[in-house]
Amino acid sequence: MCGRMTMTHPSDAMARLFDAVPANDLPLAPRYNICPTQAVGVICASPGRRSYRPMRWGFVPHWYKTPTDGPLLINARAETIAEKPAFGAAVRARRCLVPATGFYEWTKDEAGNRLPWYFMPSDSAPLVFAGVWQEWGQGAAVLRSFAIVTTAASPWMAVTHHREPVVLAPDDWARWLGETDEKAAPLMRSAPEGYYQRWRVDPKVNSNRAEGPALTQAIAV
């Protein structure tokens, strides 16, 4: 799963990495506690050149009367994404890349306290999650939103959580965005062994108001 993430790379660097045109209203980095319903920079396929634009984290299906009319859909399960009314059309026609630096997951101790862990690639390269996006509303009120695709956790990840976000290697970005004729379904799999590193971090990150680089620093356990 993925319920909180970080982005410490500046927008211009991300735009260059993806060869995308950046919007003027992208969220400023660094950010160490990005939460659902907040704006996140997302890469989309566009005629001529990719776009890098802000979208709300929390997919809003077209039939919602308001953005909060139903459950907050921050993740979409790879196993059922094509069959779900909320995501079926999006996974066929509106796939996106969601760049990040890392993300948090939680375990619980014997007393039921939530213990946060921070995950990032072992080589410290940017993370790229597979996502799907949607437009909701009309005219000036159009809201663009997205969900991160998740899959069953690898044995290594399952120690912390039974789900994990689908991550995409650079060679797979064009395929996920629909810029090639290859099918995208085979990309919805767990990360290879050794891809991640993880460590326990301060429970201060449990608050969605917490911010700052100290949130990602390892603590003694």
Side-chain angles (χ1 to χ4, degrees), residues 1-2 36-37 56-64 67-77 84-87 132-134 145-149:
M1 183 171 152
C2 183
T37 74
R56 175 190 186 262
W57 185 10
F59 191 97
V60 181
H62 67 85
W63 63 81
Y64 277 22
T68 58
D69 195 37
L72 183 60
L73 305 177
I74 64 171
N75 296 145
R77 295 174 67 93
K84 293 292 184 180
F87 301 122
V132 292
W133 68 279
Q134 169 86 349
S145 63
F146 74 94
I148 292 171
V149 182

Side-chain angles (χ1 to χ4, degrees), residues 13-119:
M14 290 292 95
R16 289 194 299 271
L17 177 65
F18 295 98
D19 190 23
V21 178
N24 294 325
D25 55 348
L26 285 162
L28 296 177
R31 302 168 73 193
Y32 295 92
N33 194 10
I34 301 171
C35 303
T37 74
Q38 294 180 353
V40 177
V42 171
I43 306 292
C44 296
S46 297
R49 195 174 173 193
R50 296 169 181 167
S51 63
Y52 186 28
R53 63 177 70 170
M55 292 191 187
R56 175 190 186 262
W57 185 10
F59 191 97
V60 181
H62 67 85
W63 63 81
Y64 277 22
K65 296 180 180 178
T66 70
T68 58
D69 195 37
L72 183 60
L73 305 177
I74 64 171
N75 296 145
R77 295 174 67 93
E79 299 88 343
T80 58
I81 190 170
E83 306 161 10
K84 293 292 184 180
F87 301 122
V91 77
R92 288 188 290 272
R94 294 187 301 279
R95 298 191 296 269
C96 60
L97 309 176
V98 185
T101 308
F103 65 97
Y104 301 95
E105 283 294 357
W106 282 260
T107 56
K108 289 185 178 181
D109 62 17
E110 294 179 356
N113 298 308
R114 299 179 74 228
L115 308 177
W117 297 75
Y118 186 63
F119 291 77

Side-chain angles (χ1 to χ4, degrees), residues 134-214:
Q134 169 86 349
E135 285 188 344
W136 179 90
Q138 296 181 344
V142 166
L143 173 67
R144 294 183 177 91
S145 63
F146 74 94
I148 292 171
V149 182
T150 68
T151 190
S154 67
W156 182 87
M157 180 66 74
V159 173
T160 312
H161 199 276
H162 68 285
R163 305 288 298 174
E164 67 175 273
V166 171
V167 292
L168 300 170
D171 289 346
D172 296 328
W173 295 348
R175 183 175 176 180
W176 182 256
L177 289 175
E179 296 171 343
T180 74
D181 294 331
E182 300 172 280
K183 292 185 178 180
L187 301 178
M188 293 189 285
R189 56 183 183 262
S190 59
E193 183 177 355
Y195 180 81
Y196 288 115
Q197 54 184 322
R198 68 181 168 207
W199 54 83
R200 274 281 311 280
V201 293
D202 196 297
K204 288 180 180 178
V205 76
N206 293 353
S207 169
N208 58 16
R209 297 182 180 181
E211 186 51 78

